[in-house]
Amino acid sequence: MLRQERGNRPPATGVRLRFYTDLSSVRCPYSLDFQKFPERINMASQALQSLKRFTTCDIGDALVKLKHPYGGFLDGLKMFSPNPGTSIYGPAVTVKMVETNSPCPSPPVHFADANKEGHIMYIQQPKGLPSACWGGLMSTRAQKLGALGVIIDGRMRDTQEHRDIQFPVFARGTSVLGSNTFTRASEINVPLQFRGDLWIHPNDIMVGDENGVVAVPPSLVEQVVELCQDRFEIDEKTFAALRAGEPMGPTIKKLRK
């Protein structure tokens, strides 16, 4: 029987996993029952607006204090479009990509059509593939649907096309190769493991800016905002002391306990 290792399974979310002893009868080595998949906690718009006051650095520090894995930091992902100074905040629509010849199922629609107004698409591409899984045509479609941006744990291409329409794109890297020969979408709105115990779930709050990308579980947003505000006030006092000529060591020890 297939077995998920202790360190390689998502936290309990109400997702029902089905395991098979005979894989010849199924197209993919596991299945997620979407009809039983509950909505993640809905976050009040006021909390999201409050979160927008802070950078990914502020939010990551708060998540570390809350002992969230890796501070929610999606290491290695950076902004390619449109330009420094851009920041995005919004709930995730997740997409799992697989290699083109994988036996895993295909979604009923093109994954670009699964973008939602006010959301950010998070795409996970298999490691080590040379191709992009996102290009200018997809950004055009996503923007028309009202998406706020895309975050790709993988490669993108057509950099200038994204910049021309001012659509935010974060990715691990670029490629000149299209996706068809190498990779395709398999599942939409499923939990995706980024690293270790850090998972990205549908409706997790994705935040991206020139510093990087962080993912915030909706259940932690209010605590994150509170911690960010506390740290902001401390930092303001710290900046004031340093500008006044106070030494770094004693100032940090006094104010940033």
Side-chain angles (χ1 to χ4, degrees):
M1 178 178 290
L2 288 177
R3 180 173 65 88
Q4 287 190 316
E5 297 298 330
R6 183 178 181 86
N8 292 318
R9 63 185 181 190
T13 59
V15 178
R16 190 172 70 189
L17 298 177
R18 297 200 296 269
F19 298 96
Y20 301 86
T21 55
D22 179 10
L23 297 184
S24 64
S25 63
V26 295
R27 298 180 63 192
C28 190
Y30 63 86
S31 174
L32 287 167
D33 189 343
F34 292 112
Q35 293 182 346
K36 300 296 183 181
F37 189 86
E39 283 290 327
R40 298 280 287 174
I41 299 172
N42 289 324
M43 185 181 62
S45 59
Q46 183 177 358
L48 178 56
Q49 291 303 316
S50 297
L51 193 68
K52 290 180 180 180
R53 297 166 49 208
F54 305 106
T55 69
T56 52
C57 298
D58 300 324
I59 295 167
D61 285 346
L63 287 170
V64 167
K65 282 197 169 186
L66 293 171
K67 303 187 184 306
H68 186 61
Y70 304 99
F73 176 45
L74 306 191
D75 182 24
L77 308 190
K78 62 181 181 179
M79 182 191 301
F80 286 89
S81 172
N83 47 55
T86 298
S87 57
I88 57 174
Y89 302 75
V93 173
T94 65
V95 177
K96 179 181 179 179
M97 308 292 288
V98 296
E99 294 189 41
T100 299
N101 60 359
S102 168
C104 289
S106 297
V109 298
H110 192 287
F111 73 94
D113 293 327
N115 277 283
K116 295 170 63 177
E117 183 175 0
H119 286 60
I120 296 169
M121 183 163 278
Y122 171 75
I123 302 170
Q124 189 173 86
Q125 183 182 26
K127 306 295 184 188
L129 293 184
S131 69
C133 64
W134 188 268
L137 295 175
M138 296 174 187
S139 279
T140 301
R141 176 58 174 157
Q143 188 177 66
K144 182 64 176 179
L145 290 171
L148 301 177
V150 62
I151 296 169
I152 308 159
D153 185 6
R155 299 175 185 266
M156 51 79 74
R157 71 174 189 170
D158 305 326
T159 304
Q160 191 58 48
E161 293 179 12
H162 309 296
R163 292 174 179 170
D164 287 344
I165 63 172
Q166 294 290 292
F167 189 74
V169 179
F170 295 75
R172 188 169 295 279
T174 62
S175 175
V176 300
L177 303 176
S179 62
N180 286 347
T181 307
F182 302 94
T183 187
R184 63 174 179 81
S186 176
E187 296 175 274
I188 297 171
N189 277 336
V190 295
L192 297 172
Q193 183 183 28
F194 183 80
R195 174 200 292 179
D197 292 331
L198 178 56
W199 289 74
I200 311 301
H201 294 265
N203 291 325
D204 278 355
I205 304 305
M206 309 302 293
V207 182
D209 61 23
E210 58 195 305
N211 297 297
V213 177
V214 67
V216 187
S219 60
L220 296 181
V221 169
E222 291 186 3
Q223 295 177 73
V224 166
V225 169
E226 183 177 347
L227 287 170
C228 285
Q229 180 60 37
D230 290 345
R231 176 51 66 91
F232 173 79
E233 293 171 1
I234 292 171
D235 282 352
E236 287 297 290
K237 294 177 182 178
T238 305
F239 277 124
L242 295 174
R243 290 175 184 133
E246 296 293 328
M248 187 77 169
T251 299
I252 293 294
K253 186 175 181 180
K254 176 183 177 182
L255 296 175
R256 302 189 75 177
K257 299 177 181 179

